Amino acid sequence: MTDSKYFTTTKKGEIFELKAELNSDKKEKKKEAVKKVIASMTVGKDVSALFPDVVNCMQTDNLELKKLVYLYLMNYAKSQPDMAIMAVNTFVKDCEDPNPLIRALAVRTMGCIRVDKITEYLCEPLRKCLKDEDPYVRKTAAVCVAKLHDINAQLVEDQGFLDTLKDLISDSNPMVVANAVAALSEIAESHPSSNLLDLNPQSINKLLTALNECTEWGQIFILDCLANYTPKDDREAQSICERVTPRLSHANSAVVLSAVKVLMKFMEMLSKDLDYYGTLLKKLAPPLVTLLSAEPELQYVALRNINLIVQKRPEVLKHEMKVFFVKYNDPIYVKLEKLDIMIRLASQANIAQVLAELKEYATEVDVDFVRKAVRAIGRCAIKVEQSAERCVSTLLDLIQTKVNYVVQEAIVVIKDIFRKYPNKYESVIATLCENLDSLDEPEARAAMIWIVGEYAERIDNADELLESFLEGFHDESTQVQLQLLTAIVKLFLKKPTETQELVQQVLSLATQDSDNPDLRDRGYIYWRLLSTDPVAAKEVVLAEKPLISEETDLIEPTLLDELICYIGTLASVYHKPPSAFVEGGRGVVHKSLPPRTASSESTESPETAPAGAPPGEQLDTVPTQGDLLGDLLNLDLGPPVSGPPLATSAVQMGAVDLLGGGLDSLMGDEPEGIGAPSFVAPPAAAVPANLGAPMGSGLSDLFDLTSGVGTLSGSYVAPKAVWLPAMKAKGLEISGTFTRQAGSISMDLQLTNKALQVMTDFAIQFNRNSFGLAPAAPLQVHAPLSPTQTVEISLPLSTAGSVMKTEPLNSLQVAVKNNIDVFYFSTLYPLHILFVEDGKMDRQVFLATWKDIPNENEAQFQIRDCPLNAEAVSSRLQSSSIFTVARRNVEGQDMLYQSLKLTNGIWVLAELRIQPGNPSFTLSLKCRAPEVSQHVYQAYETILKN
Amino acid sequence: MIGGLFIYNHKGEVLISRVYRDDIGRNAVDAFRVNVIHARQQVRSPVTNIARTSFFHVKRSNNWLAAVTKQNVNAAMVFEFLYKMCDVMAAYFGKISEENIKNNFVLIYELLDEILDFGYPQNSETGALKTFITQQGIKSQHQTKEEQSQITSQVTGQIGWQREGIKYRRNELFLDVLESVNLLMSPQGQVLSAHVSGRVVMKSYLSGMPECKFGMNDKIVIEKQGKGTADETSKSGKQSIAIDDCTFHQCVRLSKFDSECSISFIPPDEEFELMRYRTTKDIILPFRVIPLVREVGRTKLEVKVVIKSNFKPSLLAQKIEVRIPTPLNTSGVQVICMKGKAKYKASENAIVWKIKRMAGMKESQISAEIELLPTNDKKKWARPPISMNFEVPLAPSGLKVRYLKVFEPKLNYSDHDVIKWARYIGRSGIYETRC
């Protein structure tokens, strides 16, 4: 007799039959009927009408029947809350049963019934079960607390279950401990601020002990919980690591990955010079490789994680290239991931092997895989210069196969190779041109057009080639249209005589017949450039392009750090932070790696850090001129290199206006006939729509200012604070502040005479300080200061004084003398007065520098309660000479990359992460002199909050 | 944590559906069916995100097992759990076929209730589960109180896998060293990658709670233990092997392995996998495949493959199978082989050459002429690698079991009384030669 027959009841009227059977006297028949009900439920039929009849079967000695009824209850109780109450009695009774299995079953099931009335009755039995003598009941009750918390969090707190749960962490049975940890971790996630888990060295010790004894699943819960702990110093981190490493030999891959997570995170705190650090690195590689012999689904999870680990610590797997070679029978998802890691690990040492493999892959069947392999060859060429030649010849071989998608992919990567090694491989252009007709994908067409335009002078029939594309201009995708426009303009600048007609044709197509604003704008720019100053046009259009960087699609450094904290979880599989795929507040707590202990100043956690700054003293101020300017000039005027689309489009718009303002009249003087009538619209009128700013004709004036912005800008000025109270200085009260205007720093002082006698003969002197601040002129108080009189003086400062590192870095000791005495006081100056106006770093330089500065120099801070959006932030910071180099939007978050330079030439790079709607920002600072980070952060805080 | 678990048949009909969390609704069942099972394209990832709900799936004999969640769960754990669930089901009713699932659906629900609580995996050792969940109804009604508490302490206890009070007349244990040797070789005979993944499987009939200690010829272990007795180190040093990495069954005390390199454990009373390991150095490759493919014009291929056995002549390899892929446009094949049988299988696009037995240090060869239909297909034939299967009575990694000592302090039998058996089997994993 088998159970499968229950799946085949499809007759009409079966509900009535079932009802009769459920109420039958015969036990066997009853059980049969319940089974049928469950089978119907499984396939998705609504059997809720049978609720009372099924619940009636609950009071039985037959455990199998009981479990089935419970299963039914869990499914339908919510839809029939009033009737579900009928079941309460049985539950409560079962919780007292002498058999621990039945007690546990009752408490387990009760927690799954989401009906308020039942929940109330659950409290007492649950309390008993949490203290049950049998560990099986306790471990079930521990999970039940989490269930109850999910239904009614308040109730759990009120009833004190959380404390009982905490006690269970010290339970003698390891499985009880594991479940308690799991439950507490989950509850803690929904209360990020509460210190529910209360991890301290003692409790960590308990967890580590339980780790050795509990089941594989329990080990995972405990390791995942440990990963949330931040050890107080490197010694503690090391001792935890030592106790976690044995887990790397566990047969369960999840245990291994969770252990890797703990180690990767705590390694951050260990000094690289430590012997142990090296040992640990060596220990990580073998288990990661072993994961690749697991089942394919787990391999996939492992590979996604290895991808992260390789980016964070390339040294771990640098010798393990071979294990990532693709096997013929690997599922496609494993193949693609392996390929990705192969490219990341490619280096001069192993490039020959890698290339041989990639060539092999390029002949496989799966289209995606082949494409990726071809692209990988190109990436190798860019990454390892020595191999470039071999890569190019391999690509040419592949083009000879004439397989359509291979050819297209190869052309796309060859374009990148040209960008990296200009004027080196032009000999292949002829071969590329042969395949022009077979290209049907926009990316490949655009790449080919780019190549033709870039090397127009070497291709005899470049004009014919481009003309052939022009015929179907309107059917092309935007990408191709833009590329075609640029390529033809390049061609025109290189061979002006033969191609005048062509360029006019494309310009009118782009400006008159297109609805695409990007295309139109670009068309206008070229048009005006060409018609006003062809020489300038040549300089702009044919300018030398910055080299492309070798590593592509690297994960954002802060995102990478966050993902390292999520090793093994879904976030690490998706390569997205949990907030991107988890609903609501659950599990969206932002995690970050612990700071390094080596740099002592940045170890303060973000919460405690602002305590050093005096935020309370700083009141609202009237926005200075700089602020206003910044808001209006809310534009990134950086060079339009390939970058985030948002920033570039803003640049392009700005550029149009810049040109328009000055060139308008010039254009009018050009009767050549290129300027179509529709085009003469005055730029100022067209601009506001683009910018969305309520400024009309004034705009051109504003833009005149742009050249001056750099020098004119004044940074934020804090209100004056009392530096020297009258009590301490025999009646002289000094308050003051620091300002930076137009590149010069000054100390604005207010001297008040609160004594009864006249004060004269003022002089001022500074002690040596970190940045060499010194008065640039003597303190000039022209008239004697009579009692109750106040005088305002601005003392210009220079940074040419002698330098001595002070503690804190930004403290300044000042001596003021008058006819009465000499007085001393010390004050802190805000660091942003030291930010120089030419602190904008080139985008490429920025990228390189960011990578170049070691990770331990990175410091992370939290800026709280700042309601500004990215634009406002950027402009406000710019007015204090913190420049936004680039801006990206990642997963809905705005990432601002900023640079600033101090008077002594120290560069500070910053990454500011802004989540729309979230008033706290994350600021990561990288600097070769990490001790300034803390003060830069304070400067940020001051500028943004005022 | 896991929000729900569904099992579908190949058509996408639901066989089992168990929801653990409130955030998973009934529509999740359909979402997976529509977006994954019935998807037009091939499945591109074992993890799918549909409308902020993540689905993990594995396939077992055409049935889909899917775990669903809305949280940022430990992905590795979910897959490990799904595999474990398959193991548990297989231990109860054999193959995970649609029929078996339907026949045992009540049992499956019962198991799911036990091994997953609110989405948290609980004890999933079949040995422990079988003590209180059986196919013939529930035992517990007839159990005494002692028995009950014994069950619960086993399920939750430190040693969840072994019952107390087991007695055997004859204490006996079997050790199988099972290795699969993997190879990827270039047409020129250069080893591109090779590794052995091995398992030590133990089946024991031992009374009581015996403490066991396992020893093998691993370099590190020998060096560590050989301290002081320099003689032994140099003597056995020659034959010791370098294990890249190993993992152990949960009964092995990992902290002890980490500190003393000794493998000690109390074995479960069933067949279990004591350890898994991987080696990459000094691997014995039992067979060498030498391919020769020649394209004669556009319509003919000539293939010659030589295989050489590379182990002691006294040993016999078995179940040898060489699979030579043929192009899709093959119209006819003529094969001549010196030994065994060879056949062209059109449905598999391959020539399959089978040899029952072959002694060491021998060689054999096959030659084939493949007729091709002329095609317009521009794309070249991808030439998949030639793969090979075999079984040899040796461990290609060179691993040797040195000892397995048994101590049972409470019962009066000693290590000498235990009858021990060990055997070595080397099988081909993915053993491929490109041509």
Side-chain angles (χ1 to χ4, degrees):
Chain A
M1 206 169 81
T2 65
D3 287 345
S4 60
K5 61 175 190 283
Y6 302 116
F7 280 88
T8 55
T9 51
T10 50
K11 296 175 293 199
K12 276 185 182 170
E14 62 168 319
I15 297 275
F16 285 105
E17 261 173 49
L18 281 173
K19 214 177 179 80
E21 284 175 41
L22 283 170
N23 291 318
S24 151
D25 296 335
K26 287 182 193 145
K27 270 191 183 168
E28 263 316 298
K29 201 150 196 186
K30 250 187 188 173
K31 200 159 110 185
E32 297 282 285
V34 177
K35 282 188 184 178
K36 279 185 204 163
V37 173
I38 301 287
S40 309
M41 193 173 88
T42 299
V43 294
K45 278 183 212 153
D46 184 15
V47 282
S48 59
L50 296 167
F51 199 90
D53 309 284
V54 178
V55 173
N56 269 338
C57 304
M58 193 171 163
Q59 288 203 342
T60 167
D61 311 332
N62 187 320
L63 199 55
E64 190 186 9
L65 181 57
K66 189 170 243 162
K67 285 188 179 177
L68 287 173
V69 176
Y70 280 179
L71 190 64
Y72 179 90
L73 262 177
M74 285 187 265
N75 253 319
Y76 287 115
K78 217 163 68 173
S79 57
Q80 311 254 353
D82 293 331
M83 290 213 252
I85 205 89
M86 288 159 54
V88 165
N89 245 334
T90 323
F91 278 129
V92 175
K93 217 176 84 198
D94 278 359
C95 285
E96 308 270 337
D97 197 280
N99 185 343
L101 292 171
I102 293 185
R103 292 203 294 276
L105 177 66
V107 78
R108 187 165 68 211
T109 314
M110 242 173 132
C112 295
I113 297 178
R114 304 176 67 92
V115 174
D116 283 344
K117 281 180 201 154
I118 292 202
T119 320
E120 285 165 28
Y121 288 99
L122 176 60
C123 291
E124 277 321 299
L126 178 59
R127 200 185 312 282
K128 263 187 217 152
C129 287
L130 279 167
K131 302 218 159 101
D132 200 286
E133 53 172 18
D134 194 294
Y136 183 77
V137 181
R138 289 202 300 276
K139 72 112 185 161
T140 312
V143 176
C144 189
V145 176
K147 293 179 188 169
L148 190 59
H149 186 270
D150 193 37
I151 304 170
N152 190 341
Q154 196 56 45
L155 185 73
V156 170
E157 277 170 47
D158 295 347
Q159 295 278 335
F161 285 138
L162 293 182
D163 295 322
T164 324
L165 203 52
K166 276 189 208 165
D167 294 342
L168 287 185
I169 289 192
S170 318
D171 199 281
S172 57
N173 184 296
M175 197 157 171
V176 179
V177 178
N179 276 2
V181 167
L184 276 174
S185 303
E186 179 168 343
I187 295 171
E189 245 174 45
S190 50
H191 299 276
S193 53
S194 76
N195 194 14
L196 200 54
L197 269 162
D198 189 28
L199 294 175
N200 53 45
Q202 286 77 39
S203 60
I204 290 292
N205 196 27
K206 274 182 209 156
L207 292 183
L208 285 167
T209 314
L211 188 62
N212 288 325
E213 292 164 358
C214 60
T215 65
E216 46 195 331
W217 313 115
Q219 297 189 15
I220 299 170
F221 306 153
I222 292 179
L223 287 169
D224 283 351
C225 172
L226 270 180
N228 290 329
Y229 175 65
T230 310
K232 62 178 191 305
D233 54 26
D234 49 345
R235 279 184 37 212
E236 194 188 1
Q238 178 174 345
S239 82
I240 295 176
C241 287
E242 279 166 358
R243 292 177 70 177
V244 167
T245 32
R247 298 300 122 198
L248 294 175
S249 310
H250 202 284
N252 186 314
S253 309
V255 175
V256 176
L257 268 179
S258 291
V260 169
K261 166 165 57 189
V262 175
L263 297 176
M264 282 292 286
K265 204 175 160 188
F266 289 7
M267 256 169 109
E268 277 298 297
M269 298 186 65
L270 300 177
S271 154
K272 280 191 175 162
D273 317 325
L274 225 59
D275 287 346
Y276 183 69
Y277 181 87
T279 329
L280 203 52
L281 268 186
K282 274 193 210 119
K283 278 190 176 170
L284 276 175
L288 288 173
V289 173
T290 299
L291 293 177
L292 297 182
S293 44
E295 288 84 346
E297 291 88 1
L298 264 176
Q299 278 187 49
Y300 174 72
V301 174
L303 285 166
R304 294 292 283 175
N305 279 289
I306 288 172
N307 200 329
L308 296 174
I309 294 167
V310 166
Q311 287 185 55
K312 181 74 188 166
R313 296 193 186 281
E315 61 272 31
V316 175
L317 288 166
K318 66 177 173 219
H319 299 303
E320 303 286 352
M321 170 62 92
K322 277 188 174 183
V323 298
F324 297 103
F325 284 180
V326 170
K327 293 185 189 129
Y328 191 73
N329 291 324
D330 280 336
I332 182 68
Y333 49 81
V334 169
K335 283 186 177 176
L336 292 173
E337 290 307 315
K338 280 188 174 173
L339 199 49
D340 226 22
I341 294 168
M342 276 174 69
I343 303 163
R344 294 205 194 285
L345 291 178
S347 68
Q348 205 181 329
N350 56 26
I351 194 75
Q353 266 184 324
V354 173
L355 262 182
E357 281 294 308
L358 291 176
K359 206 175 166 184
E360 200 70 43
Y361 303 161
T363 58
E364 283 225 30
V365 189
D366 190 283
V367 177
D368 280 354
F369 181 61
V370 171
R371 279 172 177 274
K372 201 164 181 174
V374 174
R375 203 163 273 224
I377 296 174
R379 271 166 72 182
C380 285
I382 291 165
K383 202 173 167 187
V384 186
E385 190 167 355
Q386 291 81 356
S387 75
E389 195 148 351
R390 289 235 297 284
C391 295
V392 172
S393 76
T394 309
L395 287 170
L396 282 179
D397 288 351
L398 290 171
I399 289 177
Q400 297 303 350
T401 63
K402 303 277 179 198
V403 178
N404 189 289
Y405 53 85
V406 174
V407 174
Q408 311 215 35
E409 206 63 45
I411 287 183
V412 173
V413 291
I414 286 181
K415 180 204 72 183
D416 286 343
I417 295 176
F418 282 172
R419 281 291 305 278
K420 171 80 182 187
Y421 310 110
N423 306 320
K424 214 165 160 195
Y425 298 107
E426 278 72 63
S427 51
V428 309
I429 291 177
T431 324
L432 302 185
C433 290
E434 285 165 23
N435 292 288
L436 211 62
D437 300 332
S438 63
L439 307 179
D440 53 10
E441 289 162 23
E443 204 183 350
R445 285 174 86 84
M448 192 64 221
I449 292 170
W450 183 88
I451 292 171
V452 174
E454 189 67 17
Y455 297 100
E457 69 273 28
R458 305 182 197 209
I459 306 172
D460 296 335
N461 59 343
D463 47 344
E464 284 169 35
L465 293 176
L466 292 176
E467 202 170 355
S468 67
F469 281 104
L470 206 55
E471 282 160 20
F473 190 77
H474 290 296
D475 302 328
E476 300 282 4
S477 72
T478 313
Q479 192 184 9
V480 180
Q481 289 175 333
L482 286 169
Q483 213 47 263
L484 195 51
L485 173 62
T486 307
I488 291 179
V489 171
K490 280 184 195 163
L491 174 70
F492 172 69
L493 290 169
K494 287 174 179 172
K495 302 180 180 171
T497 43
E498 309 114 77
T499 54
Q500 196 152 355
E501 205 175 309
L502 194 62
V503 82
Q504 287 188 12
Q505 205 181 337
V506 77
L507 285 175
S508 76
L509 277 171
T511 51
Q512 285 169 40
D513 299 348
S514 171
D515 295 333
N516 185 316
D518 280 352
L519 186 62
R520 232 170 29 214
D521 286 352
R522 196 185 281 192
Y524 280 132
I525 295 172
Y526 285 143
W527 203 322
R528 290 177 195 175
L529 260 175
L530 291 175
S531 52
T532 42
D533 188 353
V535 181
K538 211 162 187 167
E539 268 169 35
V540 171
V541 179
L542 301 181
E544 203 167 303
K545 277 157 275 305
L547 293 183
I548 54 172
S549 67
E550 20 184 274
E551 288 285 356
T552 40
D553 54 71
L554 282 177
I555 295 175
E556 214 77 41
T558 39
L559 177 63
L560 180 63
D561 283 357
E562 187 177 356
L563 290 179
I564 290 288
C565 303
Y566 287 114
I567 283 179
T569 68
L570 263 180
S572 72
V573 175
Y574 293 146
H575 288 184
K576 285 177 185 167
S579 52
F581 59 92
V582 173
E583 270 167 25
R586 244 180 205 218
V588 203
V589 196
H590 175 78
K591 292 193 184 178
S592 58
L593 288 175
R596 291 227 165 236
T597 20
S599 54
S600 57
E601 278 182 46
S602 55
T603 45
E604 290 173 85
S605 69
E607 277 80 9
T608 58
E617 292 170 26
Q618 283 156 359
L619 304 166
D620 287 351
T621 42
V622 189
T624 58
Q625 185 203 2
D627 276 347
L628 280 172
L629 254 179
D631 284 340
L632 290 170
L633 291 169
N634 185 6
L635 284 173
D636 182 356
L637 290 171
V641 263
S642 73
L646 248 174
T648 359
S649 64
V651 169
Q652 284 169 358
M653 287 175 192
V656 173
D657 309 321
L658 274 172
L659 289 168
L663 303 175
D664 211 10
S665 52
L666 284 171
M667 287 301 288
D669 295 339
E670 298 259 356
E672 255 188 44
I674 357 172
S678 68
F679 155 64
V680 194
V687 164
N690 285 345
L691 274 177
M695 302 295 288
S697 52
L699 251 175
S700 48
D701 297 350
L702 264 177
F703 277 106
D704 288 340
L705 279 177
T706 47
S707 57
V709 171
T711 46
L712 271 177
S713 83
S715 46
Y716 163 75
V717 181
K720 287 199 176 82
V722 175
W723 284 342
L724 183 68
M727 303 255 299
K728 285 192 179 167
K730 302 189 176 161
L732 173 66
E733 189 186 76
I734 302 180
S735 51
T737 184
F738 293 93
T739 60
R740 183 182 183 94
Q741 287 284 343
S744 54
I745 311 167
S746 54
M747 188 189 217
D748 288 351
L749 292 167
Q750 181 178 331
L751 309 179
T752 310
N753 185 351
K754 293 198 172 171
L756 295 171
Q757 63 182 118
V758 179
M759 293 179 180
T760 54
D761 300 330
F762 285 96
I764 193 163
Q765 210 164 8
F766 293 177
N767 199 352
R768 287 190 292 169
N769 53 69
S770 315
F771 292 92
L773 281 176
L779 183 65
Q780 291 184 333
V781 184
H782 296 297
L785 203 58
S786 39
T788 70
Q789 195 193 347
T790 298
V791 65
E792 302 252 5
I793 307 151
S794 179
L795 178 71
L797 302 183
S798 74
T799 51
S802 47
V803 175
M804 182 189 76
K805 197 173 163 186
T806 57
E807 187 62 46
L809 208 60
N810 60 340
S811 78
L812 179 67
Q813 293 173 336
V814 184
V816 172
K817 180 192 98 83
N818 63 7
N819 58 338
I820 301 167
D821 206 341
V822 182
F823 310 106
Y824 300 95
F825 64 87
S826 95
T827 176
L828 298 173
Y829 50 90
L831 214 62
H832 66 256
I833 62 164
L834 300 170
F835 297 174
V836 295
E837 279 73 14
D838 60 346
K840 176 149 186 167
M841 212 179 233
D842 176 69
R843 209 178 281 245
Q844 297 300 323
V845 181
F846 182 90
L847 255 174
T849 319
W850 183 275
K851 259 189 252 164
D852 201 38
I853 298 178
N855 277 344
E856 54 266 40
N857 280 12
E858 187 175 342
Q860 222 182 53
F861 303 98
Q862 213 75 31
I863 298 172
R864 289 170 197 286
D865 302 315
C866 183
L868 303 173
N869 63 5
E871 278 79 11
V873 165
S874 171
S875 68
R876 196 176 275 201
L877 291 172
Q878 177 150 348
S879 61
S880 292
S881 297
I882 299 175
F883 298 92
T884 303
V885 176
R887 179 174 161 190
R888 285 180 68 170
N889 193 292
V890 181
E891 322 284 355
Q893 303 180 340
D894 281 311
M895 312 285 282
L896 298 179
Y897 295 92
Q898 302 175 316
S899 71
L900 62 94
K901 192 168 116 183
L902 298 176
T903 45
N904 57 358
I906 293 179
W907 285 93
V908 180
L909 310 189
E911 183 200 57
L912 190 61
R913 187 199 330 222
I914 299 173
Q915 241 177 324
N918 183 350
S920 5
F921 305 163
T922 310
L923 175 69
S924 304
L925 294 174
K926 262 195 170 183
C927 176
R928 292 195 198 278
E931 54 269 54
V932 304
S933 298
Q934 175 67 32
H935 303 283
V936 172
Y937 156 66
Q938 283 170 15
Y940 260 88
E941 180 110 349
T942 328
I943 297 164
L944 288 177
K945 293 210 173 154
N946 291 285
Chain B
M1 281 307 113
I2 298 172
L5 237 156
F6 309 124
I7 303 180
Y8 304 82
N9 65 9
H10 65 108
K11 284 185 259 174
E13 291 163 1
V14 188
L15 303 178
I16 296 287
S17 128
R18 175 75 162 91
V19 173
Y20 292 93
R21 298 233 167 188
D22 202 38
D23 52 4
I24 302 299
R26 184 82 203 175
N27 51 359
V29 185
D30 303 321
F32 183 75
R33 178 182 24 243
V34 173
N35 290 292
V36 180
I37 301 182
H38 293 167
R40 293 231 181 91
Q41 296 98 7
Q42 191 194 352
V43 180
R44 295 306 249 190
S45 157
V47 185
T48 326
N49 193 324
I50 306 163
R52 292 196 156 223
T53 309
S54 300
F55 294 82
F56 300 76
H57 73 264
V58 298
K59 272 182 100 172
R60 287 290 182 274
S61 43
N62 266 327
N63 296 301
W64 301 73
L65 285 86
V68 194
T69 183
K70 284 211 165 184
Q71 294 172 315
N72 181 31
V73 297
N74 189 321
M77 186 187 79
V78 176
F79 280 123
E80 281 284 1
F81 176 78
L82 285 174
Y83 301 143
K84 196 63 171 210
M85 199 178 105
C86 293
D87 291 349
V88 170
M89 289 197 290
Y92 269 95
F93 52 77
K95 198 174 170 224
I96 302 173
S97 62
E98 179 175 353
E99 203 190 339
N100 276 346
I101 293 171
K102 280 185 171 172
N103 278 340
N104 292 285
F105 84 96
V106 175
L107 170 75
I108 295 176
Y109 276 125
E110 216 173 304
L111 287 171
L112 283 179
D113 198 40
E114 191 58 47
I115 59 179
L116 207 54
D117 190 6
F118 200 41
Y120 288 105
Q122 304 292 307
N123 196 328
S124 49
E125 287 301 312
T126 13
L129 288 170
K130 279 191 171 170
T131 57
F132 64 106
I133 297 180
T134 65
Q135 273 163 301
Q136 290 78 41
I138 300 305
K139 266 188 189 169
S140 53
Q141 294 147 56
H142 320 290
Q143 285 160 345
T144 63
K145 206 166 175 201
E146 287 75 50
E147 277 170 335
Q148 284 165 5
S149 69
Q150 205 180 342
I151 290 170
T152 57
S153 74
Q154 189 195 345
V155 175
T156 61
Q158 186 181 343
I159 303 167
W161 47 86
Q162 175 71 317
R163 272 180 298 146
E164 273 189 69
I166 300 170
K167 282 240 166 68
Y168 289 102
R169 282 227 331 262
R170 213 155 90 117
N171 288 302
E172 209 171 4
L173 67 86
F174 299 87
L175 273 178
D176 280 350
V177 176
L178 306 172
E179 295 195 340
S180 78
V181 51
N182 298 276
L183 170 75
L184 184 62
M185 197 176 247
S186 76
Q188 293 76 33
Q190 185 196 356
V191 177
L192 295 173
S193 74
H195 74 273
V196 168
S197 55
R199 308 185 293 144
V200 178
V201 175
M202 179 171 170
K203 184 157 190 169
S204 65
Y205 302 95
L206 298 170
S207 311
M209 303 277 272
E211 177 83 36
C212 297
K213 222 173 166 181
F214 175 72
M216 54 183 175
N217 60 337
D218 177 25
K219 225 177 224 164
I220 304 166
V221 176
I222 288 177
E223 274 163 23
K224 195 125 182 178
Q225 291 170 348
K227 262 181 215 160
T229 53
D231 276 357
E232 203 195 347
T233 323
S234 58
K235 214 166 58 191
S236 55
K238 241 185 212 167
Q239 290 143 3
S240 66
I241 60 160
I243 287 185
D244 288 21
D245 187 36
C246 46
T247 60
F248 297 101
H249 184 264
Q250 55 171 322
C251 67
V252 175
R253 296 189 183 85
L254 292 179
S255 40
K256 213 159 178 184
F257 177 73
D258 199 53
S259 57
E260 303 163 25
C261 281
S262 80
I263 303 166
S264 58
F265 56 96
I266 296 172
D269 190 42
E270 56 178 348
E271 188 173 301
F272 75 104
E273 192 178 283
L274 175 63
M275 73 178 273
R276 266 176 196 239
Y277 56 91
R278 182 168 48 82
T279 71
T280 45
K281 287 199 191 77
D282 305 322
I283 292 169
I284 304 159
L285 297 171
F287 283 96
R288 166 87 208 273
V289 177
I290 305 155
L292 202 77
V293 181
R294 212 158 64 92
E295 290 179 37
V296 188
R298 288 186 57 102
T299 56
K300 205 167 142 191
L301 271 181
E302 278 180 12
V303 181
K304 199 173 110 178
V305 177
V306 180
I307 58 168
K308 286 183 180 171
S309 59
N310 177 32
F311 44 88
K312 267 192 273 174
S314 58
L315 298 176
L316 271 182
Q318 293 185 59
K319 300 177 192 166
I320 301 151
E321 186 185 288
V322 181
R323 186 171 281 265
I324 306 161
T326 55
L328 295 173
N329 55 339
T330 302
S331 61
V333 176
Q334 284 176 330
V335 212
I336 309 160
C337 58
M338 287 157 51
K339 213 170 173 227
K341 280 182 191 162
K343 235 190 202 168
Y344 165 62
K345 293 196 174 169
S347 59
E348 296 167 36
N349 287 313
I351 300 167
V352 180
W353 176 26
K354 285 184 179 171
I355 304 170
K356 275 197 182 133
R357 265 179 219 94
M358 189 165 167
M361 306 316 272
K362 288 257 163 56
E363 76 172 65
S364 188
Q365 122 175 11
I366 184 172
S367 47
E369 273 186 24
I370 302 170
E371 305 275 343
L372 302 176
L373 290 169
T375 59
N376 302 324
D377 202 357
K378 265 191 191 164
K379 192 170 169 355
K380 265 191 4 190
W381 176 46
R383 284 203 186 184
I386 296 174
S387 58
M388 207 181 157
N389 287 315
F390 55 80
E391 198 179 297
V392 285
L394 61 97
S397 69
L399 181 124
K400 291 267 177 334
V401 176
R402 288 174 60 224
Y403 55 80
L404 199 145
K405 293 176 193 153
V406 182
F407 310 96
E408 169 53 48
K410 283 185 200 151
L411 302 170
N412 53 351
Y413 69 92
S414 76
D415 186 39
H416 300 291
D417 304 330
V418 181
I419 307 160
K420 302 167 190 169
W421 306 88
R423 67 172 168 178
Y424 300 88
I425 300 173
R427 292 199 182 98
S428 52
I430 294 164
Y431 204 83
E432 294 178 335
T433 307
R434 288 184 181 153
C435 58

